Amino acid sequence: MTSRRMVGANGEGLIMRRTLLATVCLALLLPGIEVAAQGKTSGSVRGTVVDPDGAVLPGVTVRAMSDALVSGQAVSVTSGNGTYRFPSLPPGPYSIEADLPGFRSVRRDDLRVAIGQDLEVDFQLGDIEVSEEIVVVAEAMRVSTVSNAAAFNLSQEFIDRQPLARDPTKLMNYAPGIENDQAYGAPSTFQNAYNFDGVDVSDAELGSQWVLPSMDWVEEVQVAGLGADAEYGGFTGAVVNLVTKSGGNTFHGDVRAHYSGGGLNSENAPEGAEGTNKVDSYVDISASFGGPIVRDRVWYFVSGNWIEDVIEPFFAAGAPENERELNTDTRTTAIGKITWQAGQSNRVVIMADYDAKEEDYRSIGDLVLASGSFRQDSPSYLFNLSWESLVNDHNFLTAKATGYRGSDDRFPYNGDVQNHLDAGNSGFDWFNSFSTSLKDVERTTLDASWSLFADGLLSRNDSHNFKFGVVYEELGMDWETPLSGGFWYYDDSYYCDSLDAYFEDPFCGIFSSTFGGEWDLHGDMDGLHFYTQDAWKIGRFAINAGVRYTSYTGNFSDPVSEPTAGGSNVYDEDMWAPRLGVVWDLFGNGRSALKAHYGLYYDGMTVTLYDREASGAALSDEDWFDYNFDTGEFDIPVGGDIAARADMDPGIDHPYVEQFVLTYEQQIGANMVAGIDYIHRENNNINAMVVANVDDYDPQVAPDNPFGGGDLPFFDLLDEQRNLITNPDAATREYESVALRLRKRYANGWSLDGSLVWSDATGTGDYSYNGDAPDFEDLNGFVNADGRLPFNSEWVLKLSGSVDLPWRILLSGFYQYRTGELWTPYAEFEGLFFNDRQPIYLTERGSQQYDDRSVLDLRLQKDFGLGGDMVLGLFVDVFNALDSDKVTEVDTQWGWYVYDWEDHPDGSFWDPRSRYEDPQEIQTPREIRLGVKFSW
């Protein structure tokens, strides 16, 4: 792929930013500093060492020992106030030992360090008269008394023991407060930030996760965002940090195979539908290897995975037999990773990843027939070069260069021929209903940070962990969507003798057409971030204060004219995000912590924030015409320039969420932690395109609303629509939640995770992409817009557990109960002048509710020891063991209101739709998956 240039009149500003970034990076690299990812790929441990009388001890040697460390151990020496620190430890089990001549050593075993976790582990050395080493099992160290983060970590142990879909991107849904990748009240998955071994893999166009790693690579996954410090940005949902395996000092590996076939699985297509809605076949083969290149110095890890998942979808009643095909999703992934311990204080990581997704008949099912689906081809490449250095006991530096390149090309099955959609009677999308889509994306990031440790700075016994960081990123996205055949047909099979007659000759239902609406978008963006953070510990209190500065710019590679907002860029925003948290170790024993945190979190940069700004002419004019039976041509105009051009509000601000979190955590015994979280979030500066010429609307009312009667307001636009990209005051979103959680880590042969979450999401802001809130594009979108928002279950219970049975048998499972999500019926208003066919909610938002649903997944596994480290494992996974067939989405269009502007209301009428409330999605039926794993 050719490189993109950062364009426009912002050249001088760009040069200054790059110069500043280079200066900071050079300053960090001068002492021989190397690159890595503290925080997003590692955890940390710190603490204080005292003598038998409780006086602090300087000069104590503290060792962290683990097979997760290339050299086997890391060493720290306590400062003048007895403080030691391990600022970056890979996730895994650890033993930590404190030793000073003249005292008996003390060691804590069985400590688990997790991604992003900051543990405080204190030691009291033994009296010299004691004749043996003191060994303390590390209980009361599950609760962090120094960090505000209310994060959820999934270790490799959890992943290996649970019945999970073979897709790491879905692991976040096991965390409390997250459903369908939507986190803590965020409207969609596009508001999350995704990191893969410290590489930001968020899509430059939409913000969703771009890279598709294999489950076999995963060492640990962290779901964060609640109470996150200033190091984290670019999200208003959650942060998902995924760390891959690194190898080890002994050669090891595994080969795995998973299979599921039609005979093992049930079907649960809704009554009256065609097809089965079941897994027809699933084949998954992988191999992974890791070990030393040089023991205690250089490790490697390599892995490859091939998956083919075939689904037999269901179709709405009336779907022709020859329009039914299987959906086939094929993924091929490979990774190579080298970890080099360059001396005692420096570590280098080099990683490269390739993943490709090919899918036949994507989007097929329900109302989308085979000829209306498309073929997807999406290869991607990722790189990561990181280097970290513990310069001395007071300075730790990191730097990294990361990025990815990828394509997502989608092709209709019938070449360059006009499509046909039955927009009226049946609703079928059946012939080239998706145009060709050619998309290339890329992201390159340079990241450097300096951690400075200072003790006794403000008082004799306080300690400070300062962190200063700078991040520069360049993003690019090219997207072209030429219409097949140059325009689209919108038919109405009502005018044909039958639905079969329509499919045989769609011109019997000829009704309307649209020209234009084609994307030719070439976007360039950059982001510059500075942050500073201090974790200040004094007595039983920790104060975490920080601030993050971000500057985002966006432009088109070949601007047509000057940006409508003025200045040198189409999009140019600067923002400050303060973070402040307090942690109180209630009783001073590290077992009970009360935490409070306040912060602002800004969305990441995506091209959707400005892609329809007028100067780029990225979206061509769109014109709608009805068919004229007298002339035999499409020459009756019914709308134009819809969503094609918009001015940028010069005063627009970047969207953010304001978040308050209150947490109480309690250690229970040696291996269990209970917690309760209160979360309040408010979205601000929601970015949307709105109609600027609101004075050109003619307000009307539709009498006899089919839901409860009465008058329903609507608005007829009497002049050409003029658009503005802005932050509409009427766009609101608020989320409130209380979460109870309990975690018993795996020990003594069993584990348990549980959470019960109550939540409420209210407002008007139901949107997916940043910068694309379609409800606000027309004044009719504000009718009945305020209420309880969709995609949120008021109550969610999650339970997962595992138990070791005799004869090396494992039984595990995951159970989830959810109250039904909310939805709202609407009608499409026909006959409007410049804003024809607008959807309008018929009731207050959230008036309808889906059924509650329960899902149970189970695993049964038997391991056979084959001598040495060789193990053969056979297992059976059962997904949706209860075979729930709850409907999760229905057709919410009640019908139409046909507006007769010459004789309203007498000539206007309501027209119900036969497919209203027809199921469109249903819970995936029971699937039984067989697996085998050979490891050594």
Side-chain angles (χ1 to χ4, degrees):
M1 185 188 302
T2 58
S3 61
R4 294 176 173 81
R5 56 188 176 89
M6 305 304 294
V7 297
N10 61 327
E12 293 183 2
L14 181 60
I15 292 173
M16 291 178 64
R17 291 180 181 180
R18 287 177 168 169
T19 302
L20 177 59
L21 179 71
T23 302
V24 174
C25 291
L26 181 60
L28 294 181
L29 293 171
L30 281 175
I33 285 64
E34 317 171 21
V35 187
Q38 181 191 16
K40 298 176 183 178
T41 61
S42 62
S44 65
V45 176
R46 59 172 162 169
T48 303
V49 183
V50 299
D51 66 15
D53 297 323
V56 297
L57 284 173
V60 179
T61 300
V62 184
R63 295 180 176 85
M65 297 164 286
S66 174
D67 288 340
L69 294 167
V70 177
S71 61
Q73 69 173 10
V75 178
S76 177
V77 178
T78 58
S79 62
N81 68 348
T83 301
Y84 74 93
R85 295 176 177 86
F86 295 103
S88 180
L89 295 175
Y94 282 80
S95 292
I96 299 182
E97 183 179 69
D99 175 69
L100 181 67
F103 297 89
R104 291 297 179 185
S105 300
V106 177
R107 188 178 78 244
R108 290 189 179 272
D109 291 331
D110 198 27
L111 278 165
R112 174 76 197 187
V113 174
I115 302 170
Q117 185 181 48
D118 190 4
L119 286 177
E120 185 174 35
V121 182
D122 297 330
F123 291 93
Q124 185 171 33
L125 296 189
D127 192 280
I128 189 64
E129 299 300 325
V130 179
S131 60
E132 59 185 22
E133 180 186 55
I134 298 173
V135 177
V136 180
V137 176
E139 66 172 335
M141 294 304 161
R142 317 298 173 201
V143 174
S144 175
T145 57
V146 291
S147 172
N148 279 106
F152 186 82
N153 289 67
L154 296 171
S155 66
Q156 182 186 347
E157 191 172 63
F158 176 92
I159 294 170
D160 285 343
R161 295 174 64 87
Q162 287 292 324
L164 304 174
R166 298 271 296 161
D167 183 355
T169 64
K170 300 303 179 184
L171 289 175
M172 65 183 299
N173 294 301
Y174 290 86
I178 298 180
E179 299 296 326
N180 301 323
D181 302 343
Q182 295 175 231
Y184 317 127
S188 75
T189 183
F190 303 123
Q191 284 73 43
N192 298 326
Y194 298 93
N195 296 290
F196 178 43
D197 268 356
V199 183
D200 187 340
V201 293
S202 303
D203 179 11
E205 181 198 11
L206 304 174
S208 58
Q209 176 159 308
W210 182 264
V211 175
L212 301 174
S214 166
M215 186 72 84
D216 300 330
W217 308 348
V218 179
E219 179 70 31
E220 188 168 307
V221 172
Q222 181 199 39
V223 182
L226 301 178
D229 62 29
E231 180 180 359
Y232 292 91
F235 71 96
T236 54
V239 179
V240 182
N241 295 318
L242 184 151
V243 173
T244 62
K245 300 173 183 177
S246 298
N249 267 327
T250 58
F251 175 70
H252 59 275
D254 61 66
V255 178
R256 312 182 195 214
H258 302 75
Y259 170 77
S260 182
L264 295 172
N265 306 320
S266 65
E267 56 188 66
N268 64 353
E271 185 178 354
E274 312 287 348
T276 64
N277 189 43
K278 74 172 184 178
V279 176
D280 186 76
S281 68
Y282 178 88
V283 180
D284 181 339
I285 301 172
S286 66
S288 304
F289 308 94
I293 296 175
V294 179
R295 285 182 58 85
D296 299 325
R297 294 288 300 277
V298 185
W299 289 356
Y300 75 92
F301 175 75
V302 295
S303 180
N305 192 188
W306 180 83
I307 299 174
E308 183 183 77
D309 191 10
V310 182
I311 305 295
E312 182 178 344
F314 74 87
F315 299 91
E321 184 72 32
N322 63 349
E323 284 281 3
R324 306 174 197 170
E325 296 287 349
L326 300 176
N327 169 252
T328 303
D329 184 0
T330 305
R331 280 172 286 167
T332 305
T333 58
I335 190 175
K337 181 178 180 181
I338 293 177
T339 306
W340 172 31
Q341 188 68 37
Q344 184 65 36
S345 302
N346 297 280
R347 184 174 56 168
V348 179
V349 176
I350 303 172
M351 187 266 287
D353 152 80
Y354 166 79
D355 67 79
K357 176 182 173 68
E358 297 177 356
E359 187 168 354
D360 289 324
Y361 300 104
R362 177 161 178 169
S363 296
I364 194 173
D366 190 34
L367 293 172
V368 180
L369 304 183
S371 64
S373 61
F374 59 88
R375 178 174 57 85
Q376 179 182 4
D377 184 12
S378 303
S380 296
Y381 306 86
L382 178 145
F383 67 90
N384 178 11
L385 172 63
S386 11
W387 193 350
E388 67 182 25
S389 179
L390 183 62
V391 180
N392 52 45
D393 289 338
H394 299 285
N395 293 274
F396 178 77
L397 301 121
T398 76
K400 57 186 175 182
T402 64
Y404 68 83
R405 306 287 185 271
S407 299
D408 184 2
D409 297 333
R410 306 182 179 193
F411 306 96
Y413 280 98
N414 296 283
D416 192 27
V417 181
Q418 291 91 352
N419 76 321
H420 281 279
L421 297 90
D422 187 10
N425 189 43
S426 74
F428 278 114
D429 295 350
W430 70 281
F431 191 88
N432 279 10
S433 62
F434 292 93
S435 293
T436 298
S437 174
L438 305 174
K439 181 166 72 172
D440 295 321
V441 297
E442 61 182 3
R443 180 188 292 267
T444 302
T445 304
L446 301 176
D447 187 339
S449 68
W450 168 35
S451 296
L452 174 64
F453 312 127
D455 300 321
L457 190 62
L458 299 178
S459 65
R460 189 176 68 175
N461 292 322
D462 76 350
S463 65
H464 296 264
N465 285 11
F466 295 102
K467 188 168 186 178
F468 310 94
V470 56
V471 180
Y472 176 74
E473 54 184 346
E474 287 190 357
L475 304 85
M477 200 278 284
D478 294 332
W479 189 32
E480 299 177 9
T481 61
L483 283 181
S484 300
F487 67 93
W488 282 13
Y489 285 114
Y490 289 88
D491 308 321
D492 190 346
S493 60
Y494 172 83
Y495 298 105
C496 301
D497 293 336
S498 66
L499 190 58
D500 290 339
Y502 167 69
F503 284 121
E504 184 175 342
D505 179 15
F507 290 99
C508 66
I510 197 166
F511 176 74
S512 180
S513 69
T514 178
F515 296 79
E518 298 174 300
W519 286 97
D520 186 13
L521 173 61
H522 305 276
D524 286 321
M525 296 153 280
D526 68 76
L528 180 63
H529 315 266
F530 295 97
Y531 62 87
T532 179
Q533 180 80 32
D534 180 25
W536 174 24
K537 188 70 173 15
I538 179 168
R540 286 160 39 195
F541 290 90
I543 300 174
N544 299 297
V547 64
R548 183 182 182 91
Y549 166 80
T550 291
S551 173
Y552 285 132
T553 64
N555 215 324
F556 301 101
S557 297
D558 297 298
V560 175
S561 61
E562 291 296 321
T564 59
S568 58
N569 292 290
V570 172
Y571 194 85
D572 193 344
E573 294 296 322
D574 299 271
M575 60 215 75
W576 293 89
R579 316 279 168 83
L580 178 63
V582 178
V583 182
W584 180 17
D585 185 352
L586 289 175
F587 307 108
N589 58 11
R591 301 176 64 90
S592 307
L594 183 63
K595 309 180 182 185
H597 189 270
Y598 171 83
L600 302 185
Y601 299 86
Y602 285 85
D603 268 324
M605 185 65 194
T606 59
V607 75
T608 55
L609 289 164
Y610 69 92
D611 54 12
R612 287 178 290 180
E613 196 270 345
S615 68
L619 180 62
S620 65
D621 291 348
E622 189 172 23
D623 296 296
W624 295 70
F625 295 92
D626 279 349
Y627 186 72
N628 188 330
F629 289 92
D630 294 329
T631 65
E633 301 288 341
F634 289 102
D635 58 12
I636 303 176
V638 290
D641 295 340
I642 300 175
R645 293 188 300 270
D647 292 337
M648 181 70 71
D649 182 354
I652 195 171
D653 292 311
H654 198 74
Y656 71 93
V657 67
E658 186 176 25
Q659 174 180 275
F660 174 76
V661 181
L662 182 65
T663 293
Y664 174 73
E665 288 186 327
Q666 176 65 52
Q667 175 80 25
I668 303 173
N671 299 302
M672 189 177 296
V673 170
I676 181 170
D677 307 304
Y678 169 74
I679 305 163
H680 181 81
R681 289 180 139 209
E682 291 186 19
N683 289 79
N684 297 276
N685 297 342
I686 293 174
N687 187 297
M689 189 179 77
V690 302
V691 175
N693 52 320
V694 293
D695 293 337
D696 292 327
Y697 280 100
D698 179 22
Q700 297 286 342
V701 293
D704 303 321
N705 186 336
F707 286 80
D711 294 335
L712 181 72
F714 69 96
F715 301 89
D716 187 14
L717 184 60
L718 302 181
D719 199 357
E720 181 176 336
Q721 182 169 318
R722 298 193 299 275
N723 300 311
L724 179 69
I725 300 174
T726 187
N727 309 121
D729 292 336
T732 63
R733 189 178 185 94
E734 186 171 326
Y735 175 80
E736 198 163 25
S737 172
V738 177
L740 299 173
R741 49 187 170 85
L742 178 72
R743 164 161 279 191
K744 192 273 179 185
R745 68 167 190 153
Y746 175 71
N748 304 317
W750 67 283
S751 65
L752 178 67
D753 277 288
S755 66
L756 176 64
V757 177
W758 169 87
S759 63
D760 190 30
T762 57
T764 63
D766 174 25
Y767 56 96
S768 293
Y769 314 136
N770 300 329
D772 186 8
D775 282 359
F776 304 118
E777 292 180 14
D778 182 80
L779 200 59
N780 290 291
F782 294 95
V783 176
N784 285 325
D786 199 0
R788 299 180 65 191
L789 296 170
F791 310 117
N792 184 72
S793 296
E794 184 177 15
W795 289 97
V796 179
L797 172 67
K798 297 179 182 180
L799 294 171
S800 63
S802 65
V803 60
D804 294 332
L805 301 176
W807 305 295
R808 301 185 71 172
I809 295 175
L810 164 70
L811 177 64
S812 64
F814 172 72
Y815 172 78
Q816 179 176 224
Y817 166 81
R818 299 170 56 181
T819 56
E821 299 174 357
L822 305 176
W823 60 277
T824 313
Y826 74 93
E828 193 173 271
F829 275 56
E830 290 187 357
L832 306 181
F833 195 19
F834 277 93
N835 59 333
D836 194 30
R837 300 182 181 90
Q838 286 300 314
I840 300 179
Y841 290 128
L842 298 176
T843 68
E844 181 181 280
R845 174 167 279 177
S847 64
Q848 313 298 310
Q849 187 172 18
Y850 294 108
D851 291 337
D852 301 347
R853 50 191 169 120
S854 298
V855 176
L856 175 65
D857 301 332
L858 295 171
R859 164 171 285 195
L860 185 65
Q861 179 172 324
K862 165 66 177 170
D863 289 341
F864 300 89
L866 302 180
D869 294 329
M870 292 188 296
V871 177
L872 177 65
L874 304 177
F875 53 89
V876 178
D877 290 337
V878 184
F879 301 100
N880 190 9
L882 303 176
D883 202 19
S884 169
D885 60 354
K886 299 293 187 181
V887 173
T888 59
E889 184 177 342
V890 299
D891 191 322
T892 60
Q893 183 183 349
W894 176 88
W896 299 267
Y897 184 77
V898 181
Y899 171 55
D900 184 346
W901 65 274
E902 292 181 317
D903 185 22
H904 178 75
D906 293 340
S908 304
F909 60 92
W910 295 96
D911 184 12
R913 186 164 181 257
S914 61
R915 290 204 184 276
Y916 173 62
E917 289 194 287
D918 278 2
Q920 292 188 324
E921 288 188 12
I922 198 167
Q923 180 71 45
T924 303
R926 182 175 56 238
E927 177 190 357
I928 299 175
R929 189 175 296 177
L930 309 178
V932 58
K933 174 185 174 183
F934 174 63
S935 60
W936 63 92

